[in-house]
Amino acid sequence: MLKTFISLCKDVIVLLIALTASLFARSFIRDGQIGVDLYSVFRHFILFVPIICISVLFFLIFGLFVRHVLYKRRRLIQHILMAGAGTFIGGIVWFYLFPLDPE
């Protein structure tokens, strides 16, 4: 149980770091100007954090933090594809409910 929790925390931290880095990289060069638009970064960060939660939820549902699933290759691929599909559909629903405003 503790190892599952630690794995889950590590994954969430890595996903948040990747999200932050990609948002800063996206915001760095905008409209031919170099600079970081912190408002845009913060706004997108707030919208994408629930996607990370949805992703982790599907990882938990399909047992991607359980050791016996991780050791069986055929089962692992199946579970990764199902979790990815669930995250994809959850993301579509999330952004349909809360679309980004045009700037």
XYZ file of all heavy atoms in Angstrom:
842
model
N 0.815 -1.190 0.000
C 0.000 0.000 0.000
C 0.866 1.264 0.000
O 0.608 2.195 -0.721
C -0.914 -0.037 1.232
C -1.819 1.118 1.333
S -3.198 0.900 0.233
C -4.288 2.107 0.858
N 1.914 1.272 0.837
C 2.804 2.415 0.913
C 3.576 2.599 -0.390
O 3.738 3.724 -0.870
C 3.769 2.269 2.094
C 4.761 3.418 2.279
C 4.008 4.708 2.583
C 5.744 3.091 3.375
N 4.014 1.493 -0.994
C 4.739 1.578 -2.260
C 3.841 2.108 -3.371
O 4.288 2.866 -4.230
C 5.314 0.209 -2.640
C 6.452 -0.213 -1.765
C 7.026 -1.532 -2.205
C 8.152 -1.945 -1.292
N 8.782 -3.186 -1.704
N 2.577 1.727 -3.362
C 1.622 2.243 -4.340
C 1.452 3.740 -4.164
O 1.456 4.492 -5.142
C 0.259 1.542 -4.184
O 0.446 0.140 -4.367
C -0.743 2.056 -5.180
N 1.324 4.192 -2.943
C 1.166 5.614 -2.662
C 2.400 6.398 -3.092
O 2.290 7.484 -3.676
C 0.884 5.836 -1.172
C 0.706 7.273 -0.812
C -0.445 7.951 -1.190
C 1.690 7.952 -0.118
C -0.604 9.292 -0.873
C 1.541 9.283 0.209
C 0.387 9.960 -0.171
N 3.584 5.862 -2.828
C 4.827 6.527 -3.227
C 4.927 6.602 -4.745
O 5.303 7.643 -5.299
C 6.050 5.821 -2.606
C 6.054 6.046 -1.090
C 7.348 6.313 -3.216
C 7.083 5.241 -0.339
N 4.577 5.524 -5.439
C 4.590 5.531 -6.910
C 3.607 6.552 -7.454
O 3.916 7.278 -8.401
C 4.238 4.152 -7.453
O 5.209 3.220 -7.140
N 2.449 6.621 -6.857
C 1.434 7.570 -7.282
C 1.938 9.004 -7.084
O 1.802 9.839 -7.985
C 0.147 7.352 -6.486
C -0.999 8.249 -6.879
C -2.168 7.389 -7.311
C -1.385 9.130 -5.741
N 2.536 9.287 -5.947
C 3.058 10.625 -5.677
C 4.169 10.999 -6.651
O 4.213 12.132 -7.149
C 3.565 10.723 -4.246
S 2.239 10.727 -3.032
N 5.064 10.059 -6.934
C 6.141 10.326 -7.896
C 5.576 10.635 -9.269
O 6.037 11.569 -9.940
C 7.115 9.147 -7.958
C 7.993 9.012 -6.742
C 9.109 8.011 -6.945
C 8.605 6.620 -7.175
N 9.646 5.593 -7.215
N 4.583 9.880 -9.708
C 3.978 10.122 -11.015
C 3.300 11.483 -11.080
O 3.428 12.202 -12.073
C 2.970 9.030 -11.359
C 3.625 7.753 -11.819
O 4.868 7.738 -11.957
O 2.902 6.766 -12.053
N 2.597 11.854 -10.035
C 1.929 13.160 -10.013
C 2.956 14.283 -10.058
O 2.792 15.258 -10.793
C 1.008 13.280 -8.779
C 0.527 14.706 -8.585
C -0.175 12.336 -8.914
N 4.033 14.152 -9.307
C 5.075 15.180 -9.306
C 5.714 15.306 -10.679
O 5.898 16.422 -11.192
C 6.136 14.873 -8.223
C 5.528 15.111 -6.834
C 7.386 15.720 -8.407
C 6.369 14.593 -5.696
N 6.030 14.187 -11.312
C 6.623 14.223 -12.651
C 5.653 14.845 -13.659
O 6.049 15.666 -14.495
C 7.062 12.810 -13.100
C 7.407 12.767 -14.567
C 8.235 12.349 -12.269
N 4.379 14.488 -13.583
C 3.392 15.074 -14.494
C 3.243 16.575 -14.280
O 3.128 17.342 -15.252
C 2.039 14.373 -14.329
C 1.955 12.960 -14.870
C 0.658 12.287 -14.415
C 2.047 12.949 -16.383
N 3.250 17.032 -13.033
C 3.153 18.473 -12.760
C 4.389 19.225 -13.243
O 4.273 20.330 -13.786
C 2.918 18.716 -11.272
C 1.550 18.329 -10.743
C 1.509 18.470 -9.225
C 0.462 19.169 -11.388
N 5.572 18.644 -13.080
C 6.801 19.269 -13.581
C 6.776 19.347 -15.100
O 7.123 20.377 -15.694
C 8.044 18.514 -13.071
C 8.214 18.740 -11.569
C 9.302 18.947 -13.823
C 9.261 17.858 -10.922
N 6.352 18.272 -15.748
C 6.271 18.268 -17.215
C 5.258 19.297 -17.713
O 5.510 20.004 -18.693
C 5.897 16.874 -17.712
N 4.125 19.390 -17.039
C 3.111 20.373 -17.421
C 3.644 21.789 -17.269
O 3.515 22.614 -18.183
C 1.851 20.187 -16.570
C 0.768 21.247 -16.731
C 0.242 21.272 -18.165
C -0.358 21.007 -15.750
N 4.277 22.084 -16.152
C 4.823 23.417 -15.922
C 5.892 23.760 -16.949
O 5.896 24.860 -17.511
C 5.399 23.512 -14.492
O 4.388 23.149 -13.561
C 5.895 24.906 -14.190
N 6.794 22.832 -17.216
C 7.851 23.076 -18.195
C 7.283 23.309 -19.592
O 7.725 24.214 -20.315
C 8.834 21.898 -18.212
N 6.298 22.513 -19.981
C 5.727 22.689 -21.318
C 4.958 24.007 -21.420
O 4.995 24.669 -22.464
C 4.823 21.507 -21.675
O 3.710 21.453 -20.812
N 4.284 24.421 -20.366
C 3.570 25.697 -20.404
C 4.532 26.877 -20.456
O 4.288 27.849 -21.186
C 2.642 25.824 -19.192
C 1.421 24.923 -19.207
C 0.645 25.057 -17.908
C 0.527 25.216 -20.399
N 5.641 26.806 -19.725
C 6.635 27.878 -19.814
C 7.287 27.901 -21.194
O 7.516 28.975 -21.755
C 7.695 27.733 -18.717
C 7.320 28.412 -17.442
C 6.922 27.675 -16.350
C 7.364 29.794 -17.331
C 6.569 28.296 -15.162
C 7.008 30.434 -16.154
C 6.608 29.681 -15.065
N 7.581 26.735 -21.755
C 8.168 26.685 -23.097
C 7.193 27.235 -24.131
O 7.592 27.964 -25.051
C 8.554 25.247 -23.453
N 5.925 26.939 -24.004
C 4.906 27.434 -24.922
C 4.759 28.940 -24.802
O 4.556 29.644 -25.781
C 3.570 26.761 -24.620
C 2.441 27.228 -25.481
C 1.145 26.542 -25.046
N 0.034 26.988 -25.835
C -0.725 28.041 -25.535
N -0.465 28.734 -24.447
N -1.721 28.390 -26.298
N 4.865 29.458 -23.601
C 4.663 30.874 -23.353
C 5.916 31.697 -23.614
O 5.836 32.911 -23.730
C 4.211 31.089 -21.904
O 4.069 32.437 -21.611
N 7.072 31.052 -23.722
C 8.334 31.778 -23.834
C 8.403 32.639 -25.090
O 8.778 33.797 -25.044
C 9.511 30.809 -23.777
C 10.843 31.487 -23.726
C 11.198 32.234 -22.618
C 11.719 31.398 -24.781
C 12.421 32.881 -22.568
C 12.941 32.039 -24.739
C 13.294 32.770 -23.634
N 8.062 32.080 -26.230
C 8.064 32.840 -27.480
C 6.630 32.901 -27.978
O 6.046 31.905 -28.368
C 8.968 32.199 -28.547
C 10.402 32.150 -28.054
C 8.865 32.961 -29.848
C 11.345 31.449 -28.994
N 6.068 34.095 -27.931
C 4.672 34.267 -28.319
C 4.557 35.532 -29.156
O 4.999 36.595 -28.745
C 3.795 34.351 -27.082
C 2.351 34.267 -27.417
C 1.549 34.099 -26.131
N 0.179 33.858 -26.497
C -0.444 32.734 -26.324
N 0.160 31.733 -25.771
N -1.692 32.592 -26.687
N 3.965 35.415 -30.301
C 3.768 36.536 -31.219
C 5.091 37.215 -31.578
O 5.159 38.431 -31.699
C 2.793 37.567 -30.622
C 1.425 36.979 -30.341
O 1.009 36.073 -31.096
O 0.777 37.417 -29.373
N 6.129 36.427 -31.732
C 7.427 36.960 -32.127
C 8.180 37.662 -31.022
O 9.251 38.195 -31.249
N 7.651 37.678 -29.825
C 8.309 38.330 -28.701
C 8.763 37.280 -27.697
O 8.081 36.285 -27.475
C 7.359 39.310 -28.019
C 6.911 40.434 -28.921
C 5.912 41.337 -28.220
O 5.524 41.094 -27.086
N 5.521 42.398 -28.915
N 9.904 37.543 -27.102
C 10.432 36.616 -26.109
C 10.030 37.126 -24.718
O 10.236 38.282 -24.385
C 11.961 36.498 -26.211
C 12.324 35.877 -27.558
C 12.521 35.671 -25.071
C 13.800 35.781 -27.804
N 9.458 36.259 -23.941
C 9.033 36.613 -22.592
C 8.006 35.608 -22.114
O 7.414 34.893 -22.909
N 7.793 35.559 -20.842
C 6.856 34.596 -20.269
C 5.591 35.333 -19.834
O 5.647 36.305 -19.105
C 7.481 33.867 -19.065
C 6.488 32.947 -18.404
C 8.702 33.082 -19.509
N 4.474 34.862 -20.329
C 3.177 35.405 -19.935
C 2.658 34.558 -18.777
O 2.077 33.494 -18.984
C 2.222 35.364 -21.124
C 0.846 35.883 -20.803
O 0.682 36.512 -19.735
O -0.077 35.675 -21.615
N 2.887 35.024 -17.550
C 2.532 34.239 -16.369
C 1.032 34.022 -16.245
O 0.594 32.983 -15.757
C 3.074 34.900 -15.108
C 4.584 34.850 -14.950
C 5.010 35.579 -13.684
C 5.085 33.424 -14.931
N 0.241 34.969 -16.698
C -1.211 34.795 -16.646
C -1.636 33.609 -17.502
O -2.424 32.768 -17.079
C -1.923 36.064 -17.102
C -3.412 35.881 -17.211
C -4.205 35.793 -16.073
C -4.026 35.753 -18.457
C -5.573 35.598 -16.165
C -5.389 35.558 -18.555
C -6.163 35.490 -17.419
O -7.510 35.284 -17.513
N -1.092 33.522 -18.707
C -1.415 32.420 -19.611
C -0.940 31.089 -19.033
O -1.661 30.081 -19.099
C -0.780 32.657 -20.979
O -1.011 31.576 -21.836
N 0.251 31.077 -18.462
C 0.785 29.851 -17.857
C -0.119 29.402 -16.712
O -0.505 28.235 -16.631
C 2.233 30.064 -17.356
C 2.694 28.905 -16.499
C 3.178 30.262 -18.525
N -0.486 30.333 -15.831
C -1.329 29.994 -14.686
C -2.709 29.522 -15.132
O -3.242 28.540 -14.620
C -1.455 31.197 -13.748
C -2.289 30.920 -12.543
C -1.807 30.113 -11.527
C -3.556 31.443 -12.420
C -2.571 29.834 -10.406
C -4.330 31.184 -11.304
C -3.838 30.380 -10.299
N -3.294 30.209 -16.120
C -4.630 29.839 -16.599
C -4.635 28.432 -17.191
O -5.527 27.629 -16.913
C -5.088 30.852 -17.643
C -6.502 30.662 -18.088
C -6.854 31.754 -19.039
N -6.052 31.555 -20.234
C -6.517 31.718 -21.462
N -7.732 32.110 -21.639
N -5.757 31.500 -22.493
N -3.638 28.114 -18.010
C -3.552 26.782 -18.600
C -3.217 25.729 -17.549
O -3.695 24.601 -17.629
C -2.525 26.761 -19.730
C -3.015 27.404 -20.978
N -2.952 28.753 -21.168
C -3.593 26.891 -22.080
C -3.458 29.057 -22.341
N -3.860 27.940 -22.922
N -2.390 26.097 -16.574
C -2.036 25.165 -15.511
C -3.289 24.743 -14.749
O -3.498 23.561 -14.495
C -1.017 25.813 -14.567
C -0.485 24.883 -13.519
C 0.564 24.034 -13.808
C -1.030 24.865 -12.250
C 1.064 23.169 -12.847
C -0.538 24.001 -11.283
C 0.516 23.155 -11.583
N -4.134 25.709 -14.418
C -5.369 25.426 -13.685
C -6.291 24.516 -14.504
O -6.955 23.637 -13.973
C -6.092 26.738 -13.304
C -5.263 27.530 -12.319
C -7.477 26.480 -12.752
C -4.964 26.817 -11.019
N -6.311 24.703 -15.815
C -7.177 23.872 -16.656
C -6.636 22.463 -16.862
O -7.399 21.527 -17.060
C -7.395 24.539 -18.010
C -8.369 25.707 -17.997
C -8.355 26.416 -19.339
C -9.763 25.247 -17.668
N -5.311 22.300 -16.826
C -4.725 20.993 -17.104
C -4.515 20.129 -15.865
O -4.348 18.921 -15.986
C -3.405 21.139 -17.862
C -3.583 21.314 -19.331
C -3.574 22.568 -19.906
C -3.790 20.216 -20.149
C -3.749 22.727 -21.261
C -3.961 20.361 -21.512
C -3.939 21.632 -22.065
N -4.500 20.704 -14.679
C -4.324 19.907 -13.458
C -5.437 18.855 -13.312
O -5.153 17.705 -12.946
C -4.209 20.819 -12.218
C -4.377 20.032 -10.937
C -2.863 21.516 -12.224
N -6.708 19.184 -13.614
C -7.731 18.126 -13.553
C -7.478 16.980 -14.538
O -7.846 15.839 -14.253
C -9.030 18.853 -13.887
C -8.772 20.255 -13.479
C -7.327 20.493 -13.784
N -6.842 17.255 -15.667
C -6.502 16.184 -16.614
C -5.502 15.230 -15.962
O -5.586 14.009 -16.140
C -5.946 16.766 -17.933
C -6.989 17.652 -18.602
C -5.482 15.661 -18.864
C -8.256 16.946 -18.989
N -4.556 15.770 -15.208
C -3.613 14.917 -14.483
C -4.362 14.060 -13.474
O -4.093 12.861 -13.334
C -2.521 15.771 -13.818
C -1.622 16.377 -14.891
C -1.706 14.950 -12.820
C -0.599 17.351 -14.374
N -5.325 14.655 -12.785
C -6.133 13.896 -11.815
C -6.936 12.801 -12.509
O -7.024 11.675 -12.008
C -7.067 14.836 -11.051
S -6.210 16.010 -10.012
N -7.507 13.119 -13.668
C -8.257 12.120 -14.444
C -7.320 10.986 -14.864
O -7.669 9.808 -14.764
C -8.927 12.773 -15.669
C -10.068 13.697 -15.220
C -9.434 11.723 -16.648
C -10.615 14.576 -16.333
N -6.131 11.346 -15.311
C -5.157 10.342 -15.742
C -4.773 9.422 -14.592
O -4.767 8.189 -14.745
C -3.918 11.059 -16.289
O -2.952 10.144 -16.681
N -4.466 9.994 -13.444
C -4.094 9.182 -12.278
C -5.261 8.307 -11.845
O -5.071 7.144 -11.463
C -3.596 10.089 -11.132
C -3.465 9.322 -9.838
C -2.280 10.732 -11.509
N -6.464 8.832 -11.924
C -7.650 8.043 -11.574
C -7.765 6.809 -12.474
O -7.987 5.702 -11.987
C -8.908 8.900 -11.689
C -10.223 8.176 -11.424
C -10.317 7.791 -9.956
C -11.392 9.059 -11.812
N -7.574 6.990 -13.783
C -7.638 5.840 -14.690
C -6.461 4.892 -14.484
O -6.600 3.681 -14.641
C -7.726 6.297 -16.151
C -9.116 6.662 -16.558
C -9.468 7.983 -16.743
C -10.086 5.691 -16.734
C -10.758 8.334 -17.101
C -11.372 6.023 -17.092
C -11.715 7.347 -17.281
N -5.288 5.425 -14.113
C -4.160 4.550 -13.785
C -4.506 3.664 -12.597
O -4.182 2.482 -12.576
C -2.908 5.360 -13.456
C -2.246 6.023 -14.635
C -1.138 6.816 -14.450
C -2.729 5.875 -15.921
C -0.512 7.429 -15.511
C -2.122 6.485 -16.989
C -1.000 7.268 -16.782
N -5.177 4.251 -11.608
C -5.586 3.475 -10.437
C -6.674 2.460 -10.781
O -6.635 1.313 -10.331
C -6.084 4.408 -9.329
C -5.018 5.189 -8.585
C -5.660 6.255 -7.705
C -4.145 4.266 -7.765
N -7.653 2.885 -11.576
C -8.752 1.988 -11.956
C -8.225 0.760 -12.692
O -8.663 -0.359 -12.437
C -9.790 2.736 -12.816
C -10.566 3.740 -11.954
C -10.743 1.769 -13.494
C -11.450 4.676 -12.756
N -7.279 0.970 -13.600
C -6.775 -0.143 -14.401
C -5.540 -0.803 -13.797
O -4.872 -1.603 -14.447
C -6.517 0.315 -15.831
C -7.791 0.590 -16.577
C -8.179 1.880 -16.846
C -8.621 -0.446 -16.953
C -9.360 2.140 -17.508
C -9.806 -0.205 -17.618
C -10.181 1.097 -17.892
N -5.234 -0.492 -12.542
C -4.209 -1.222 -11.807
C -2.788 -0.980 -12.251
O -1.944 -1.861 -12.098
N -2.491 0.195 -12.767
C -1.130 0.438 -13.233
C -0.148 0.732 -12.107
O 1.032 0.939 -12.363
C -1.128 1.578 -14.258
C -1.832 1.221 -15.566
C -1.840 2.404 -16.510
C -1.175 0.026 -16.222
N -0.604 0.742 -10.886
C 0.283 0.861 -9.734
C 0.376 -0.454 -8.967
O 0.951 -0.499 -7.889
C -0.209 1.975 -8.802
C -0.118 3.337 -9.406
C -1.256 4.032 -9.758
C 1.108 3.934 -9.630
C -1.179 5.292 -10.316
C 1.201 5.194 -10.191
C 0.058 5.868 -10.531
N -0.179 -1.529 -9.535
C -0.168 -2.837 -8.889
C 0.940 -3.685 -9.519
O 1.034 -3.786 -10.743
C -1.545 -3.531 -9.052
C -1.542 -4.892 -8.401
C -2.640 -2.657 -8.482
N 1.750 -4.288 -8.682
C 2.927 -5.012 -9.182
C 2.597 -6.164 -10.138
O 3.256 -6.332 -11.143
C 3.737 -5.553 -8.019
C 4.496 -4.508 -7.311
C 5.480 -5.168 -6.345
N 6.184 -4.172 -5.593
C 7.354 -3.665 -5.976
N 7.902 -4.053 -7.088
N 7.954 -2.763 -5.231
N 1.600 -6.976 -9.835
C 1.339 -8.142 -10.684
C 0.871 -7.726 -12.081
O 1.074 -8.462 -13.040
C 0.354 -9.113 -10.032
C -1.048 -8.600 -9.928
N -1.941 -8.664 -10.956
C -1.700 -8.014 -8.893
C -3.087 -8.133 -10.584
N -2.967 -7.729 -9.330
N 0.274 -6.564 -12.229
C -0.100 -6.070 -13.558
C 1.144 -5.613 -14.301
O 1.286 -5.845 -15.501
C -1.130 -4.922 -13.444
C -1.387 -4.275 -14.795
C -2.430 -5.426 -12.843
N 2.061 -4.988 -13.592
C 3.261 -4.448 -14.230
C 4.205 -5.533 -14.741
O 4.982 -5.293 -15.657
C 4.008 -3.540 -13.250
C 3.245 -2.311 -12.791
C 4.058 -1.542 -11.752
C 2.892 -1.419 -13.955
N 4.143 -6.736 -14.183
C 5.051 -7.787 -14.593
C 4.541 -8.634 -15.764
O 5.311 -9.348 -16.376
C 5.380 -8.708 -13.413
C 6.225 -8.029 -12.373
C 5.870 -8.050 -11.036
C 7.383 -7.357 -12.729
C 6.647 -7.432 -10.074
C 8.158 -6.723 -11.776
C 7.794 -6.765 -10.462
O 8.559 -6.138 -9.524
N 3.266 -8.555 -16.068
C 2.716 -9.315 -17.185
C 2.578 -8.391 -18.385
O 1.705 -7.548 -18.443
C 1.369 -9.920 -16.808
C 1.482 -10.932 -15.685
C 0.157 -11.547 -15.355
C 0.342 -12.562 -14.242
N -0.907 -13.156 -13.846
N 3.452 -8.577 -19.366
C 3.561 -7.661 -20.497
C 2.248 -7.524 -21.268
O 1.828 -6.425 -21.595
C 4.665 -8.125 -21.437
C 4.897 -7.171 -22.585
C 6.041 -7.623 -23.433
N 7.233 -7.718 -22.616
C 8.305 -6.971 -22.801
N 8.325 -6.098 -23.751
N 9.348 -7.109 -22.031
N 1.603 -8.621 -21.564
C 0.362 -8.575 -22.344
C -0.718 -7.804 -21.585
O -1.420 -6.975 -22.131
C -0.105 -9.981 -22.658
C -1.355 -10.024 -23.462
C -1.759 -11.443 -23.656
N -2.207 -11.637 -25.010
C -2.681 -12.750 -25.459
N -2.741 -13.807 -24.681
N -3.080 -12.861 -26.691
N -0.814 -8.103 -20.318
C -1.802 -7.426 -19.481
C -1.444 -5.948 -19.299
O -2.321 -5.090 -19.269
C -1.843 -8.130 -18.127
C -3.039 -7.830 -17.341
C -3.088 -8.745 -16.143
N -4.428 -8.732 -15.603
C -4.773 -9.315 -14.517
N -3.880 -10.006 -13.846
N -5.989 -9.244 -14.080
N -0.169 -5.640 -19.185
C 0.290 -4.267 -19.011
C -0.084 -3.405 -20.215
O -0.619 -2.309 -20.057
C 1.796 -4.231 -18.773
C 2.420 -2.843 -18.647
C 1.864 -2.136 -17.422
C 3.927 -2.946 -18.572
N 0.179 -3.900 -21.410
C -0.154 -3.153 -22.622
C -1.654 -2.913 -22.712
O -2.101 -1.806 -23.026
C 0.379 -3.887 -23.875
C 1.910 -3.862 -23.871
C -0.160 -3.254 -25.148
C 2.533 -4.732 -24.918
N -2.426 -3.918 -22.399
C -3.882 -3.781 -22.419
C -4.343 -2.728 -21.410
O -5.170 -1.878 -21.729
C -4.526 -5.128 -22.116
C -6.031 -5.108 -22.108
C -6.617 -6.460 -21.706
O -5.908 -7.339 -21.233
N -7.908 -6.612 -21.901
N -3.797 -2.746 -20.228
C -4.189 -1.797 -19.189
C -3.732 -0.372 -19.522
O -4.454 0.585 -19.252
C -3.643 -2.237 -17.830
C -4.406 -3.372 -17.243
N -5.191 -3.244 -16.127
C -4.514 -4.673 -17.613
C -5.747 -4.396 -15.836
N -5.341 -5.288 -16.731
N -2.550 -0.240 -20.107
C -2.071 1.088 -20.516
C -2.977 1.665 -21.599
O -3.343 2.851 -21.562
C -0.610 1.024 -21.000
C 0.317 0.798 -19.813
C -0.221 2.300 -21.739
C 1.760 0.550 -20.202
N -3.351 0.846 -22.571
C -4.237 1.324 -23.637
C -5.611 1.718 -23.102
O -6.179 2.739 -23.507
C -4.368 0.267 -24.730
C -3.118 0.035 -25.579
C -3.338 -1.137 -26.531
C -2.752 1.290 -26.343
N -6.146 0.936 -22.177
C -7.453 1.280 -21.602
C -7.368 2.554 -20.758
O -8.250 3.415 -20.827
C -7.990 0.113 -20.777
C -8.416 -1.075 -21.626
S -9.259 -2.386 -20.723
C -8.060 -2.871 -19.517
N -6.302 2.695 -19.975
C -6.133 3.906 -19.168
C -5.919 5.122 -20.066
O -6.462 6.206 -19.802
C -4.959 3.751 -18.208
N -5.172 4.958 -21.136
C -4.966 6.050 -22.089
C -6.250 6.462 -22.784
O -6.531 7.650 -22.945
N -7.051 5.478 -23.170
C -8.336 5.783 -23.797
C -9.267 6.487 -22.820
O -9.946 7.453 -23.174
C -8.982 4.499 -24.320
N -9.287 6.033 -21.582
C -10.115 6.685 -20.568
C -9.669 8.116 -20.311
O -10.503 9.024 -20.190
N -8.364 8.334 -20.244
C -7.836 9.682 -20.054
C -8.169 10.570 -21.245
O -8.553 11.732 -21.084
C -6.312 9.637 -19.833
O -6.031 8.841 -18.685
C -5.740 11.021 -19.653
N -8.045 10.027 -22.440
C -8.358 10.775 -23.659
C -9.828 11.210 -23.663
O -10.145 12.387 -23.891
C -8.040 9.913 -24.887
C -8.296 10.597 -26.187
C -7.454 11.599 -26.650
C -9.387 10.226 -26.966
C -7.694 12.227 -27.861
C -9.632 10.849 -28.171
C -8.782 11.848 -28.623
N -10.714 10.280 -23.386
C -12.146 10.591 -23.364
C -12.465 11.559 -22.216
O -13.224 12.518 -22.391
C -12.983 9.309 -23.273
C -12.834 8.514 -24.572
C -14.447 9.618 -22.987
C -13.367 7.110 -24.511
N -11.860 11.337 -21.059
C -12.050 12.251 -19.938
C -11.566 13.652 -20.253
O -12.191 14.650 -19.874
N -10.445 13.753 -20.964
C -9.925 15.059 -21.385
C -10.844 15.760 -22.358
O -11.062 16.977 -22.273
N -11.392 15.008 -23.292
C -12.339 15.598 -24.247
C -13.557 16.131 -23.514
O -13.997 17.256 -23.759
C -12.752 14.564 -25.315
C -11.577 14.287 -26.255
C -13.957 15.051 -26.108
C -11.816 13.158 -27.211
N -14.093 15.348 -22.599
C -15.263 15.790 -21.825
C -14.906 17.020 -20.989
O -15.663 17.991 -20.941
C -15.795 14.638 -20.935
C -16.824 15.139 -19.946
C -16.366 13.531 -21.803
N -13.743 17.004 -20.337
C -13.327 18.127 -19.505
C -13.241 19.413 -20.324
O -13.747 20.457 -19.923
C -11.992 17.821 -18.837
C -11.454 18.986 -18.050
C -10.437 19.805 -18.399
C -11.932 19.457 -16.794
N -10.254 20.758 -17.445
C -11.155 20.571 -16.440
C -12.937 19.039 -15.931
C -11.356 21.270 -15.259
C -13.130 19.744 -14.763
C -12.343 20.847 -14.435
N -12.580 19.365 -21.487
C -12.421 20.582 -22.283
C -13.694 20.952 -23.041
O -13.849 22.086 -23.469
C -11.226 20.470 -23.222
C -9.928 20.653 -22.504
C -9.027 19.619 -22.387
C -9.620 21.856 -21.904
C -7.847 19.779 -21.706
C -8.435 22.043 -21.218
C -7.546 20.997 -21.123
N -14.595 20.030 -23.174
C -15.921 20.379 -23.721
C -16.717 21.154 -22.675
O -17.398 22.119 -22.991
C -16.669 19.122 -24.157
C -18.010 19.418 -24.754
C -18.137 19.945 -26.035
C -19.186 19.194 -24.023
C -19.367 20.238 -26.572
C -20.424 19.481 -24.549
C -20.510 19.994 -25.838
O -21.741 20.297 -26.355
N -16.599 20.730 -21.416
C -17.302 21.421 -20.331
C -16.667 22.765 -19.998
O -17.351 23.722 -19.656
C -17.340 20.545 -19.074
C -18.159 19.261 -19.174
C -17.984 18.438 -17.910
C -19.631 19.582 -19.394
N -15.341 22.841 -20.064
C -14.607 24.065 -19.707
C -13.625 24.427 -20.823
O -12.420 24.234 -20.709
C -13.832 23.862 -18.399
C -14.685 23.446 -17.251
C -14.755 22.130 -16.854
C -15.453 24.383 -16.591
C -15.560 21.746 -15.785
C -16.258 24.017 -15.523
C -16.307 22.704 -15.130
N -14.139 24.992 -21.931
C -13.250 25.330 -23.053
C -12.338 26.509 -22.709
O -12.651 27.334 -21.853
C -14.226 25.694 -24.168
C -15.443 26.163 -23.463
C -15.521 25.366 -22.195
N -11.190 26.568 -23.389
C -10.294 27.688 -23.238
C -10.917 28.907 -23.918
O -11.428 28.805 -25.031
C -8.935 27.387 -23.884
C -8.067 26.378 -23.163
C -6.857 26.047 -24.019
C -7.612 26.928 -21.836
N -10.833 30.041 -23.269
C -11.344 31.277 -23.868
C -10.347 31.769 -24.911
O -9.142 31.716 -24.687
C -11.507 32.366 -22.819
C -12.513 32.000 -21.751
O -13.365 31.120 -22.014
O -12.455 32.581 -20.658
N -10.836 32.277 -26.042
C -9.891 32.891 -26.986
C -9.337 34.167 -26.379
O -10.029 34.901 -25.717
C -10.745 33.186 -28.221
C -12.155 33.157 -27.743
C -12.199 32.302 -26.514
N -8.062 34.401 -26.608
C -7.422 35.583 -26.010
C -7.653 36.811 -26.832
O -7.801 36.887 -27.946
C -5.942 35.333 -25.847
C -5.697 34.240 -24.829
C -4.223 33.974 -24.627
O -3.412 34.833 -24.963
O -3.911 32.920 -24.125
